[in-house]
Amino acid sequence: MESSKNKSKLWGGRFEGQTSTLVEEFTQSLDYDSLLYAQDIAGSRAHARMLAMQGVLGSDEAMKIIAGLDQIQEEIESGNFLWNQELEDVHMNIEKRLTELIGPLGQKLHTGRSRNDQVALDFRLFTTSALTLWQEELLSLIRTFTDQARKNVDVILPGYTHLQPAQPVSLAQHLLAYVQMFKRDFERVGDALKRTKVSPLGAAALAGTTYPLDPQQVSHEVGFKDVFSNSMDAVSDRDFVLEGLFSGSVIMTHLSRFCEEIIIWSNPGFGFILLPDAYSTGSSIMPQKKNPDVAELIRGKTGSVYGRLVSLLTTMKALPLAYNRDMQEDKGPFMEAHKTVLSSLKIMTGMVSALKFDSLAMEKALKSGFLNATEMADYLTSKGMPFRQAHHVTGKLVSFAEKKGAGLEDIDLADMKKFSDLFEEDIFRVLDYKEAVNRRNTPGGTGPESIAVQIRDIGEWVDIQVKSGKCGDSLG
Ligand code: ARG
């Protein structure tokens, strides 16, 4: 087996034997952590500056180190940086290059620091950027759903339970239900962000350090507020990644639920929506087909995000304190999940804004599903009939109408009276679907007044998020 000299490795001092190429390939983490170069350099700049402020480095030394780091960032971004797998990870690749550029001074950067607290900081910075991007996309999605709701307050469709037609609702009410889910997602991500933006730098390998470091200064400089409280926890905590993956999983759950509705509604049996061409595909053999592939793929990719959450939960389970190399397996799952969550959110926003609703098909479905049966039962109850009996009488009328292939509203008053003499001419107004919706103005109900309140509240909430800039501090 090929091997390389451990002399070249930054940790090679005590090693005499050699690392095999296979082991090198197996242990390296560059595939994912080279994507952390900007965060790694930002953390190192902050560390160098803090070391100078604390008198551990001369200020001219810190300046030279920072200039070297700037040059490395430029080399990486212009594609002129030579990544070396033998050096294992992003941290050692950058440090080695720094030493090439500025000489032995480069070796001073790691004073009072370990890769254990370094990688934790890098990944906290990366996760912060990712979660902030999710929040921005969630706000766009909330706006898009709310715009569609505003345009469709007067469109009535069957609301379902058990996917069986239940009661008429406004299309706006249906769409605004998703707005509430995405609002909770935004808040959940914001909550995870609070615990992500905590700097672990200064924990060193696991026990803290003898150098007079100022962790608060580093935290402040990288855009965080808080610092770790316990060095062993700081280097072994990956809760922030797990919380990110969990929040992402719930986002995908919500997206996939709406995807399922798009898939069902676009089925000609429902015909409630016309799939936008840009978000559907045809079949290579069946010319009539228009398939909801994009919705199916978001639904399908949800599984991979869940998988990544379970993967990291399983990696972390039963790890003894403090840092363990197992934890290197945190980056792939989160980075892959991040790509999926971010692109799914973007695509959903585009797809929802392009959706066209067929209100006539929705109206037809209302009629054939007897969605005003509850209204009839409530009518009889309001005239003094006990509800159980009213339920029974209405059931008989549904069966009567079904045999005639008609809706409840099509039955003559004389026929209705055969089932109960409580029926009067005013029943027809009660059976009107629109009226049924309009009557439900209790807070959060589907009536137009309740919907207006919901739309106003969500608009105000979005404005507050945008103004407070809570989601606008992406770290690049
Ligand atoms: N590549 C490692 C990771 O991602 C960096 C930390 C390595 N630390 C160590 N002591 N081997 O976790």
Side-chain angles (χ1 to χ4, degrees):
M1 205 178 281
E2 263 185 74
S3 54
S4 61
K5 292 261 181 284
N6 280 332
K7 272 195 296 191
S8 67
K9 302 213 186 299
L10 298 183
W11 43 254
R14 65 156 290 178
F15 285 77
E16 283 169 13
Q18 296 167 352
T19 312
S20 78
T21 308
L22 197 58
V23 168
E24 239 167 45
E25 264 164 28
F26 190 73
T27 52
Q28 63 90 19
S29 50
L30 277 178
D31 296 347
Y32 286 111
D33 70 21
S34 57
L35 299 171
L36 298 177
Y37 75 88
Q39 287 81 4
D40 196 66
I41 289 174
S44 287
R45 274 196 205 105
H47 183 63
R49 235 173 245 142
M50 180 275 292
L51 288 178
M53 286 170 82
Q54 297 300 105
V56 179
L57 285 184
S59 55
D60 54 327
E61 289 182 313
M63 272 164 60
K64 279 187 196 135
I65 288 176
I66 290 167
L69 290 168
D70 289 345
Q71 180 173 341
I72 293 172
Q73 179 145 9
E74 245 178 70
E75 287 177 5
I76 295 175
E77 287 171 358
S78 59
N80 291 319
F81 188 86
L82 277 183
W83 294 100
N84 181 356
Q85 182 178 289
E86 275 179 36
L87 293 172
E88 246 180 71
D89 57 26
V90 61
H91 323 296
M92 296 207 281
N93 269 269
I94 290 178
E95 193 185 318
K96 180 94 183 196
R97 178 69 185 136
L98 184 66
T99 307
E100 276 169 22
L101 287 173
I102 64 170
L105 174 61
Q107 295 172 340
K108 287 197 178 179
L109 171 61
H110 213 49
T111 311
R113 188 173 72 166
S114 152
R115 274 186 298 157
N116 298 351
D117 56 347
Q118 184 179 1
V119 72
L121 174 63
D122 293 2
F123 207 31
R124 281 176 181 273
L125 289 170
F126 182 90
T127 306
T128 297
S129 304
L131 298 188
T132 305
L133 287 173
W134 297 2
Q135 281 197 317
E136 284 166 14
E137 290 306 324
L138 281 164
L139 280 191
S140 304
L141 187 61
I142 287 171
R143 281 205 185 101
T144 305
F145 264 84
T146 309
D147 285 348
Q148 282 284 22
R150 206 175 282 116
K151 284 188 229 152
N152 288 289
V153 178
D154 294 331
V155 174
I156 314 288
L157 81 163
Y160 295 85
T161 61
H162 314 267
L163 197 56
Q164 301 296 323
Q167 288 181 341
V169 290
S170 157
L171 177 54
Q173 177 78 350
H174 196 118
L175 297 171
L176 290 169
Y178 283 94
V179 167
Q180 292 303 319
M181 297 181 218
F182 298 130
K183 177 173 176 251
R184 286 195 297 277
D185 286 331
F186 181 97
E187 290 170 341
R188 201 172 352 261
V189 170
D191 196 50
L193 267 170
K194 279 189 235 150
R195 282 179 293 280
T196 304
K197 296 166 92 167
V198 177
S199 176
L201 213 68
L206 78 162
T209 165
T210 54
Y211 297 95
L213 303 186
D214 181 359
Q216 191 64 58
Q217 163 62 28
V218 173
S219 172
H220 181 75
E221 186 163 339
V222 298
F224 289 175
K225 268 208 216 87
D226 299 320
V227 294
F228 69 99
S229 303
N230 176 293
S231 59
M232 294 182 81
D233 179 49
V235 291
S236 65
D237 169 28
R238 292 295 181 272
D239 291 3
F240 65 100
V241 192
L242 290 171
E243 288 189 44
L245 284 168
F246 173 70
S247 311
S249 295
V250 182
I251 291 173
M252 292 304 293
T253 304
H254 295 152
L255 293 178
S256 116
R257 290 185 76 173
F258 193 62
C259 285
E260 179 71 8
E261 309 223 74
I262 290 179
I263 292 160
I264 293 172
W265 288 0
S266 65
N267 177 291
F270 280 74
F272 293 179
I273 49 172
L274 304 173
L275 274 181
D277 284 354
Y279 295 89
S280 44
T281 59
S283 154
S284 55
I285 178 167
M286 298 164 283
Q288 86 284 10
K289 294 270 272 183
K290 199 167 177 190
N291 295 328
D293 299 44
V294 174
E296 289 170 287
L297 275 169
I298 294 178
R299 189 179 59 178
K301 284 173 191 279
T302 301
S304 78
V305 176
Y306 294 177
R308 286 171 170 125
L309 168 63
V310 174
S311 145
L312 188 60
L313 280 170
T314 315
T315 298
M316 295 306 295
K317 168 188 166 296
L319 285 188
L321 289 180
Y323 177 83
N324 297 272
R325 191 62 179 268
D326 315 42
M327 288 158 64
Q328 179 167 297
E329 294 300 303
D330 58 353
K331 290 168 207 69
F334 184 78
M335 288 177 171
E336 295 301 332
H338 168 50
K339 270 191 238 158
T340 305
V341 171
L342 191 66
S343 58
S344 301
L345 283 169
K346 285 185 181 166
I347 286 185
M348 183 59 103
T349 300
M351 183 158 65
V352 170
S353 67
L355 280 181
K356 296 259 177 298
F357 299 97
D358 186 339
S359 56
L360 286 177
M362 291 177 176
E363 213 175 296
K364 247 173 84 187
L366 286 170
K367 248 181 128 95
S368 61
F370 298 103
L371 273 96
N372 46 9
T374 310
E375 308 309 310
M376 181 178 266
D378 285 347
Y379 171 88
L380 292 171
T381 311
S382 74
K383 301 231 162 168
M385 187 183 281
F387 181 75
R388 275 288 151 240
Q389 201 185 332
H391 185 284
H392 185 77
V393 170
T394 306
K396 292 237 169 277
L397 271 151
V398 166
S399 153
F400 176 79
E402 208 167 23
K403 280 180 201 129
K404 296 178 71 153
L408 286 173
E409 64 281 13
D410 303 318
I411 303 174
D412 291 340
L413 185 57
D415 282 333
M416 284 190 200
K417 279 188 175 295
K418 288 181 198 152
F419 294 84
S420 166
D421 53 15
L422 293 175
F423 285 117
E424 300 295 345
E425 195 56 43
D426 57 353
I427 179 64
F428 294 103
R429 179 136 194 249
V430 170
L431 290 179
D432 184 82
Y433 299 101
K434 191 140 201 130
E435 290 289 329
V437 169
N438 289 351
R439 275 196 294 275
R440 286 175 164 71
N441 275 312
T442 43
T446 186
E449 287 159 34
S450 155
I451 286 177
V453 171
Q454 293 182 54
I455 291 178
R456 187 202 62 205
D457 287 353
I458 197 73
E460 286 175 6
W461 178 85
V462 169
D463 285 348
I464 290 170
Q465 306 317 310
V466 172
K467 279 200 197 104
S468 74
K470 267 199 199 141
C471 61
D473 55 355
S474 162
L475 287 152

